[in-house]
Amino acid sequence: MPIDVLVTLNENYMEPLKVMLTSLHHNNLEENFRIWVIHESIGPKKMSDLKKLTDYFGWELHNEQITKNWLDKAPTIKRYPKEMYFRLLCGEILPQDVKKVIYLDPDILVINPINDLWEVDLEGNMIAAATHTGITNLTSEINKIRLGTDHEYFNSGVMLLDLEKTRANVNLEDILGVIEKHGAELLLPDQDVLNFLYGKHIKEVPEEIWNYDTRKAVSYYARSLSKHDLQWVISNTVILHFCGQPKPWNPNSDSRFTALYLHYMQLLTRLEKNFLG
């Protein structure tokens, strides 16, 4: 059975998406994937180029283009991009026979096998996700106060979603209600809405394995009492998440993981030049 992977994005992130998928392929050669791309306006040429890549990997690519009037009621200004709604409402968009899916932001690398995330026992929860807490748990405590919640603050960039549960519990009206009532308080709208409405239904998975914030390598190292050094990360971390700015494809990026990202960019460039035409 294939592993279902979801991305929601616009044209600006198509090249990073291809790098992410290249890393996913190279470190999961024994797995078969179905890639679901939910978007509103990615052009045929860019989708065709993406399909050449997924065809080369032997994967299915599903182009789920949303009609423009689907979100007529929803605010879609810069703070509330349509991709935010696509991610939260993916259960309504994807076919009913898709029972669960791994959502991945395009600004990540997958550097080890991902199957263990696919096989996580949600224990009745709707979602599995990681927090980004740093050395202390201060960030989560601040967000509990800010959002009035009593659970950890989860990052929405990597999630395993039980779509049968999301179809029963996630709806546009609730999301719009939070935006209308708390819009001024939402710093990261899609992530804040996820935590405010559904945080109590999320199972926590280790961030240093499944959603490693590349900005916080020093924090991971300190919190683990020097265990989680670079060698440990390369052997054990599955997902590196390039949160914040600059992104690793930008010329001014110089983090300790930039070179690794550029390596996968180079692999993609060679593939496109020598095999994809």
Side-chain angles (χ1 to χ4, degrees):
M1 293 291 291
I3 294 174
D4 288 300
V5 172
L6 168 68
V7 293
T8 65
L9 73 167
N10 57 39
E11 282 198 353
N12 295 330
Y13 277 88
M14 287 295 281
E15 289 305 311
L17 170 61
K18 290 193 289 183
V19 176
M20 183 267 277
L21 294 178
T22 299
S23 72
L24 179 65
H25 169 73
H26 277 273
N27 295 293
N28 292 270
L29 293 173
E30 72 285 2
E31 301 291 354
N32 184 28
F33 293 91
R34 291 194 298 185
I35 309 300
W36 301 86
V37 181
I38 302 179
H39 67 99
E40 185 186 52
S41 58
I42 297 173
K45 174 62 167 63
K46 288 189 180 291
M47 287 303 302
S48 175
D49 289 344
L50 180 62
K51 189 173 188 306
K52 288 179 183 178
L53 183 67
T54 55
D55 284 351
Y56 180 81
F57 294 156
W59 302 346
E60 292 181 28
L61 176 67
H62 295 266
N63 179 5
E64 299 291 326
Q65 185 164 10
I66 303 301
T67 59
K68 292 183 181 294
N69 60 358
W70 190 64
L71 290 171
D72 278 351
K73 297 186 295 181
T76 54
I77 58 176
K78 185 176 182 180
R79 292 190 67 234
Y80 307 106
K82 291 188 176 180
E83 290 76 25
M84 171 188 103
Y85 301 100
F86 299 161
R87 183 188 329 190
L88 294 171
L89 297 165
C90 64
E92 292 186 29
I93 301 168
L94 298 182
Q96 291 291 314
D97 62 350
V98 181
K99 304 300 184 184
K100 64 178 179 177
V101 70
I102 295 175
Y103 170 82
L104 298 175
D105 273 352
D107 59 343
I108 71 168
L109 291 178
V110 181
I111 63 170
N112 277 303
I114 202 170
N115 185 66
D116 282 352
L117 180 60
W118 181 246
E119 298 297 340
V120 162
D121 182 358
L122 288 170
E123 300 176 331
N125 289 290
M126 186 167 66
I127 298 168
T131 63
H132 280 166
T133 56
I135 295 178
T136 69
N137 204 29
L138 182 60
T139 302
S140 278
E141 294 305 316
I142 290 172
N143 283 312
K144 286 178 185 178
I145 296 170
R146 182 170 64 85
L147 298 175
T149 57
D150 59 359
H151 50 73
E152 301 303 317
Y153 185 81
F154 296 98
N155 182 274
S156 59
V158 178
M159 297 184 288
L160 173 69
L161 300 107
D162 180 331
L163 295 188
E164 294 183 308
K165 284 188 166 57
T166 67
R167 290 176 182 122
N169 294 288
V170 179
N171 62 78
L172 181 59
E173 288 69 28
D174 289 344
I175 295 168
L176 296 180
V178 171
I179 292 173
E180 182 178 356
K181 186 173 182 180
H182 301 282
E185 305 155 32
L186 303 181
L187 302 179
L188 300 169
D190 59 336
Q191 205 157 267
D192 283 351
V193 170
L194 173 76
N195 280 274
F196 186 87
L197 286 175
Y198 312 115
K200 65 180 66 175
H201 305 293
I202 299 178
K203 175 178 179 173
E204 184 173 359
V205 293
E207 62 177 299
E208 62 272 18
I209 302 290
W210 298 113
N211 196 342
Y212 185 105
D213 185 342
T214 59
R215 301 170 299 180
K216 298 181 177 180
V218 173
S219 294
Y220 292 121
Y221 181 75
R223 193 171 65 189
S224 68
L225 302 179
S226 305
K227 177 183 176 183
H228 296 167
D229 58 13
L230 186 59
Q231 286 77 16
W232 186 94
V233 171
I234 296 302
S235 297
N236 295 278
T237 295
V238 177
I239 294 174
L240 295 175
H241 192 176
F242 293 86
C243 304
Q245 298 291 338
K247 296 301 185 186
W249 55 86
N250 295 143
N252 59 336
S253 174
D254 63 352
S255 81
R256 69 184 63 197
F257 296 106
T258 296
L260 183 59
Y261 191 90
L262 296 178
H263 167 69
Y264 285 103
M265 280 185 66
Q266 182 75 354
L267 289 177
L268 173 63
T269 299
R270 289 174 183 164
L271 273 178
E272 292 183 320
K273 178 181 178 181
N274 297 322
F275 299 102
L276 305 185

